[in-house]
Amino acid sequence: MLLRRACRVGHVLVLVLCLSSAEDFDWTKNDHGSFYYGTFPTGFSWGAGSSAYQTEAWDKDGKGLSIWDVFSHKKGKVQYNGTGDAACEGYYKVKDDVSLMKELKLNHYRFSISWPRILPTGIKTEHINEKGVQYYDDLINHLLENKITPVVTLYHWDLPQILQEKYGGWQNISMVNYFNDFANLCFERFGNRVKYWITFNNPWSVAVEGYETGEHAPGLKLRGTGAYRAAHHIIKAHAKVWHSYDMQWRGKQKGLVGISLGGDWGEPVDISNEKDIEAAERYVQFYLGWFATPIFHGDYPQVMKDFIGRKSVQQGLGTSRLPTFSPQEKSYIKGTCDFLGIGHYTTRYITQKNNPSSRGSSSYFADRDLAELVDPRWPDPGSEWLYSVPWGFRRLLNFVKSQYGNPMIYVTENGVSEKMACTELCDDWRIHYHKDYINEMLKAIKDGVNVRGYTAWSLLDKFEWDEGYSERFGLYYVDFRNKNKPRYPKASVQFYKRVISSNGFPNQREVENWRRKAIETCSSSNQLLAAARRKSKEHAELPKVWPVHDEV
């Protein structure tokens, strides 16, 4: 049932690790355990992250339109009709934001390069926007001057709009070459200083929410086919960029190229029930495995091929709705990983559920034959989908270890939101979330999982895609009502800073003291924010459709 082949990567040492550590994942063993006090390995990297469209500014200095620029300007697509037009004004606050990172004592900062900011037409041969290049040059240089390692994502969802209009975006195989051209331009201009590259951020969301449900840009609802086609092209594009770097740039730049995959954990409702175990594995394979298994093993998970193929036949189709890789493509894609990025937030309980296979109701979700459940006791402070289930994180990391030969892992996203109904800088729940999730990651390292770094999501409050500004993930609060978008530290800043300084959790008394001191500091931050709001008469107007809330 489980694939157990070794992955091929760019370094012989890692290949040996892959070959020597493959094993089956034990679904019947779930040891939640107590809090573990201890420290991370020497050299473990601590960071925070952001993305271009969520933080920069949409139309400055020659930037071209992205699919999110167009999507968010359509009424009803984003909560309260928010857009990323100004967002955090990060385009003008490079030095300020790097100072926040330095205050946090970050080792690395993960950000994305906006494709349409560098190439307004999306195509390398037509026009390079040198002002966009200069912006990222300045950001990278300021990070390095402050001894913060830049970790750069090449695609965080902002496809040039013209490529969507002319070719259908990721539905079209031509995106593979266009993306490769963009990536090579970034390697050429920034690769002498950037040593960690991420090709795609959470391609599951790009495929499913962009081309299946239409919740995200470009907003298409090509149910049962669109997500699979988009994913197929994204996997090919990732592989091509990895090979381009490997052949043209690795020798002189000495960097690494990986991919960041989103992965919620799926836990069987009953770990003694084989049907529930199979459904839970299916959930993870249709999510993380959809992209990881081709990259590590050369082809889609067998369970995806079986279920989608069978349902396609039942629907009277001549071929499976899941595309296929040729033997040459399988060989080309397999092993295109120098490191695996994992973006993880939450967990679901999973049980078997048979979905009908009529031609008119085909969908990615129906293909899986399962039901997702949550425990009402799980904390859910912000996003309706995000429940705090720390033990699922350790389970997911161990699954990756067993399935893919214990690759080098960087946690590229992990964090928790709150609703924006009120201003609350004393984010005790975020402290608890990060403390518990980071601790489960530490336990996973004790289990032998090869985790090298952790990225808190996110550095700042920002535009949250289809949720607009109704939710906040930031360690730093951004006052979006003020045209200058000032930043204020939440209590979680002080706590995370202590974790970084101690490289973990030295002992119970000290960790509890961190939390107390962090909560004490946020009351003064609250007072500063309240005073600034009283004094300021230059608040930016919010869209009139935004609800009015009393600040608390």
Side-chain angles (χ1 to χ4, degrees), residues 522-539:
C522 65
S523 58
S524 59
S525 296
N526 268 328
Q527 291 170 5
L528 286 171
L529 174 58
R533 286 204 164 160
R534 284 194 297 271
K535 290 178 182 177
S536 176
K537 295 181 180 178
E538 300 174 325
H539 286 181

Side-chain angles (χ1 to χ4, degrees), residues 286-476:
F286 266 77
Y287 203 142
L288 179 80
W290 184 4
F291 300 91
T293 308
I295 289 168
F296 284 92
H297 297 309
D299 200 2
Y300 290 118
Q302 189 63 43
V303 70
M304 288 189 75
K305 295 196 288 186
D306 291 346
F307 270 64
I308 301 166
R310 183 170 65 250
K311 285 177 178 283
S312 298
V313 170
Q314 291 169 353
Q315 290 156 358
L317 302 175
T319 58
S320 175
R321 287 180 282 105
L322 182 69
T324 58
F325 295 115
S326 70
Q328 293 80 8
E329 288 170 338
K330 291 177 186 178
S331 177
Y332 186 76
I333 293 165
K334 180 180 177 180
T336 52
C337 62
D338 298 326
F339 65 89
L340 178 62
I342 295 289
H344 173 77
Y345 291 92
T346 193
T347 286
R348 293 289 185 271
Y349 278 121
I350 306 297
T351 190
Q352 166 75 23
K353 178 190 175 186
N354 292 325
N355 290 300
S357 300
S358 62
R359 186 189 290 265
S361 65
S362 65
S363 76
Y364 160 85
F365 295 99
D367 285 340
R368 304 176 304 169
D369 276 353
L370 57 85
E372 302 178 36
L373 307 169
V374 298
D375 187 331
R377 294 169 295 184
W378 290 344
D380 59 335
S383 306
E384 61 183 19
W385 56 270
L386 205 173
Y387 295 81
S388 180
V389 195
W391 53 260
F393 193 20
R394 181 185 182 185
R395 298 276 276 166
L396 179 72
L397 292 170
N398 272 282
F399 180 87
V400 170
K401 171 179 176 279
S402 68
Q403 288 281 284
Y404 307 118
N406 203 16
M408 181 173 15
I409 294 172
Y410 283 89
V411 175
T412 42
E413 287 189 28
N414 178 243
V416 68
S417 57
E418 78 255 28
K419 292 293 185 184
M420 201 179 131
C422 56
T423 303
E424 180 52 86
L425 302 186
C426 299
D427 54 346
D428 197 28
W429 69 91
R430 184 172 284 107
I431 288 174
H432 279 290
Y433 180 97
H434 280 295
K435 177 172 77 82
D436 291 342
Y437 272 74
I438 290 171
N439 197 247
E440 292 297 318
M441 176 176 63
L442 179 58
K443 292 178 187 177
I445 291 174
K446 275 190 68 189
D447 297 335
V449 183
N450 188 17
V451 185
R452 301 293 187 89
Y454 174 85
T455 307
W457 197 263
S458 54
L459 181 72
L460 306 171
D461 291 335
K462 58 201 182 316
F463 178 81
E464 290 300 337
W465 309 110
D466 58 318
E467 296 296 335
Y469 297 94
S470 66
E471 297 175 358
R472 295 176 177 268
F473 274 83
L475 296 167
Y476 286 90

Side-chain angles (χ1 to χ4, degrees), residues 155-184:
Y155 189 82
H156 203 127
W157 308 357
D158 48 355
L159 184 77
Q161 173 66 16
I162 192 167
L163 296 183
Q164 183 65 42
E165 291 175 358
K166 287 180 71 172
Y167 303 104
W170 291 108
Q171 295 298 292
N172 194 308
I173 190 66
S174 65
M175 291 306 103
V176 174
N177 286 331
Y178 288 135
F179 180 65
N180 186 60
D181 288 344
F182 164 62
N184 275 278

